[in-house]
């Protein structure tokens, strides 16, 4: 039944999962899909107006579904926390062997369920299990050095999202993220082989290191999963990373985790290009809201893992001319706010209330995603990017214009 056929005073169910949205809601509380703007029917509550869904082509066979089949609301209850004597995150007391705090009595979180990293005051990230999933299959690994307002600054942000349809993908994602982080950190000022030269030379060096980081991450997954590699659905994960090197940002990706450039004002850009069926649909002219809510929207065309056929990262460099944020995240965040300018509005409004401390800002973005339904694991990592003097980028570079709703894929 279309929105036009909906009886007066009756809310149309979500076209993705069939859940009845709350009056006035923009997103389905069950699956997070965009349910369109609400219109008020005379004499009744809002009726959701949704554009017609065109017929979509059949997806190719060589896709990897990132979520298991079935109702997301029927995910198993998360397992009890591992018995360790660690501090309670609520009050600081001791967590007993039964997983409850001896002081306040609260049930303790498993460390992997929620953690934060802050390698420098201007770089931080938060990784969270979300609400629906039984475990956190996201992972992140960060490195940073230098002052954010100087040309000597360096940061590496890596996010890997384990494929939920393949058991033990949490092992794959953590091994991949840490291995990639170490490769990228080797090119930093304090690394074993620091990247040097003018900006053009650094771009070439960082693109080579980004490919090395993703292929090394793939090797780390093979080692970490051991004989699980022989399964029909072996542990797998996505990969996205971004490096800040003075005036330069270089992003690399495999899968559908994303990197965004969000200036303090002006047009935001998605730096990565999803390796997914949804992106293939958009390339064929399907509107974003339809493609990203199609049944195979999150089926990915490239990934890391034992059955990966192409683990080499695609890369995109950019030299921003203003201050802003580098955001590297999993789809647990961008699912609810996909377009670059929409996500920029979220980051800017959140910053207005939390301030520019990146850990607090990342934590609030994660909290917001959970408030939208927490359908997936959520990772948000941020690096504060301050504009540098023009002399730092004056070595005959040129940048192609990129619109805010299109990925920045052009090489400099």
């Amino acid at each position: 039944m279309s929105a036009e056929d909906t009886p007066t005073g009756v809310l149309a169910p979500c076209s993705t999962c069939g859940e009845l949205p709350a009056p006035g809601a923009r997103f389905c509380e069950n699956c997070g899909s965009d349910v369109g703007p609400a219109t008020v029917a005379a004499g009744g509550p809002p009726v959701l107006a949704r554009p017609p869904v065109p017929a979509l082509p059949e997806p190719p066979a060589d896709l990897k579904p990132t979520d298991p089949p079935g109702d997301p609301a029927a995910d198993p209850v998360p397992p009890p926390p591992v018995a360790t004597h660690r501090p309670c995150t609520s009050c600081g007391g001791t967590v007993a062997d039964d997983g409850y705090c001896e002081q306040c009595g609260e049930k303790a979180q498993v460390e992997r369920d929620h953690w934060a990293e802050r390698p420098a005051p201007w770089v931080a990230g938060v990784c969270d299990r979300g609400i629906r999933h039984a475990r956190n299959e996201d992972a992140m690994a960060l490195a940073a050095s230098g002052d954010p307002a100087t040309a000597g600054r360096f940061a590496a942000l890596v996010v890997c999202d384990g494929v939920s349809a393949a058991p033990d993908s949490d092992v794959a994602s953590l091994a991949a993220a840490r291995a990639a982080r170490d490769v990228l950190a080797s090119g930093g000022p304090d690394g074993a082989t620091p990247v040097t030269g003018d900006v053009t030379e650094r771009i070439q060096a960082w693109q080579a290191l980004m490919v090395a980081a993703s292929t090394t991450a793939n090797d780390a997954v093979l080692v970490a999963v051991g004989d699980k590699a022989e399964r029909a659905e072996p542990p797998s994960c996505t990969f996205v990373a971004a490096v800040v090197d003075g005036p330069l940002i270089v992003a690399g990706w495999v899968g559908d985790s994303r990197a965004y450039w969000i200036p303090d004002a002006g047009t935001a850009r998605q730096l990565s290009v999803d390796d997914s069926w949804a992106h293939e649909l958009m390339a064929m002219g399907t509107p974003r809201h339809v493609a990203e809510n199609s049944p195979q929207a999150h089926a990915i065309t490239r990934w890391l893992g034992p059955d990966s056929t192409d683990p080499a990262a695609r890369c995109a460099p950019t030299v921003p001319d203003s201050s802003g944020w580098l955001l590297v995240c999993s789809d647990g965040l961008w699912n609810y706010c996909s377009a670059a300018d929409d996500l920029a509005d979220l980051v800017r409004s959140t910053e207005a209330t939390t301030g520019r401390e990146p850990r607090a800002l990342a934590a609030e973005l994660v909290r917001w995603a959970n408030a939208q339904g927490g359908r997936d694991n959520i990772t948000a990592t941020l690096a504060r990017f301050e504009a540098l003097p023009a002399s730092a980028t004056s070595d005959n570079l040129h940048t192609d214009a990129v619109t805010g709703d299109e990925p920045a894929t052009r090489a400099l």
Side-chain angles (χ1 to χ4, degrees):
M1 181 170 63
S2 68
E4 290 75 16
D5 297 328
T6 305
T8 300
V10 178
L11 294 174
C14 172
S15 60
T16 301
C17 70
E19 184 79 5
L20 190 66
R26 285 293 310 277
F27 298 93
C28 175
E29 294 181 357
N30 182 51
C31 70
S33 297
D34 188 341
V35 294
T39 58
V40 179
V47 176
L48 297 176
R50 190 178 295 108
V53 178
L56 299 177
E58 288 297 318
D62 57 342
L63 298 179
K64 180 181 282 287
T66 57
D67 286 308
D71 182 0
D75 282 352
V77 176
V82 177
T84 56
H85 295 285
R86 61 188 188 279
C88 172
T89 57
S90 298
C91 71
T94 301
V95 177
D97 290 345
D98 63 0
Y100 290 85
C101 176
E102 295 176 345
Q103 182 169 315
C104 69
E106 290 289 328
K107 186 176 181 180
Q109 286 185 316
V110 178
E111 184 179 5
R112 185 69 186 269
D113 279 355
H114 181 96
W115 90 92
E117 292 187 12
R118 186 174 180 263
W122 55 285
V123 177
V126 174
C127 186
D128 187 83
R129 178 172 60 85
I131 295 173
R132 297 287 187 180
H133 278 266
R135 60 183 54 82
N136 188 6
E137 291 165 322
D138 275 9
M140 65 179 177
L142 312 178
S145 63
D147 188 294
T150 67
R153 64 190 173 194
F154 166 76
L157 288 68
V158 183
V159 171
C160 294
D161 181 356
V163 173
S164 297
D168 301 305
S169 288
D170 55 329
V171 176
S173 63
L174 189 60
R178 292 177 173 175
R181 184 266 321 275
D182 291 347
V183 171
L184 295 174
S186 71
D190 302 324
T193 55
V195 170
T196 59
D198 62 27
V199 178
T200 303
E201 292 169 333
R202 287 170 179 260
I203 287 173
Q204 295 172 347
W206 281 119
Q207 289 184 138
L209 264 180
M210 193 65 72
V211 172
S214 67
T215 54
T216 300
N218 192 66
D219 293 341
V221 171
L222 300 183
V223 172
V225 303
D227 58 6
K228 299 180 181 70
E230 304 304 319
R231 293 175 179 168
E233 288 291 340
S236 311
C237 65
T238 67
F239 165 88
V240 65
V243 166
V244 175
D245 179 21
L248 172 68
I249 294 174
V250 177
W253 64 91
V254 178
D256 66 350
S257 295
R258 293 182 179 178
Y260 292 86
W261 164 244
I262 301 174
D264 291 339
T267 302
R269 302 196 300 267
Q270 183 183 328
L271 302 177
S272 55
V273 181
D274 293 354
D275 297 309
S276 70
W277 178 235
H279 175 72
E280 296 295 327
L281 289 175
M282 286 188 283
M284 290 185 279
T286 304
R288 177 187 290 271
H289 76 277
V290 174
E292 291 186 347
N293 289 296
S294 65
Q296 296 291 333
H298 288 283
I300 51 178
T301 56
R302 295 200 308 136
W303 57 87
L304 302 185
D307 56 347
S308 172
T309 59
D310 185 11
R314 309 287 194 266
C315 300
T318 187
V319 181
D321 58 4
S322 63
S323 299
W325 291 100
L326 170 64
L327 170 65
V328 179
C329 64
S330 66
D331 60 354
L333 176 63
W334 69 253
N335 263 339
Y336 300 111
C337 206
S338 174
D341 280 338
D342 291 343
L343 192 54
D345 289 342
L346 172 65
V347 171
R348 291 165 185 161
S349 62
T350 304
E351 180 187 337
T353 59
T354 65
R356 283 187 175 169
E357 200 286 306
R359 177 169 173 170
L361 182 53
E364 184 60 19
L365 292 175
V366 167
R367 188 208 63 77
W368 177 86
N370 274 323
Q372 309 313 302
R375 167 69 181 85
D376 205 348
N377 309 141
I378 308 154
T379 304
T381 68
L382 291 159
R384 179 63 193 170
F385 188 98
E386 299 294 346
L388 297 177
S391 60
T393 60
S394 60
D395 59 337
N396 299 318
L397 283 178
H398 71 276
T399 58
D400 291 332
V402 183
T403 64
D405 201 42
E406 292 297 324
T409 58
R410 301 180 179 92
L412 297 176

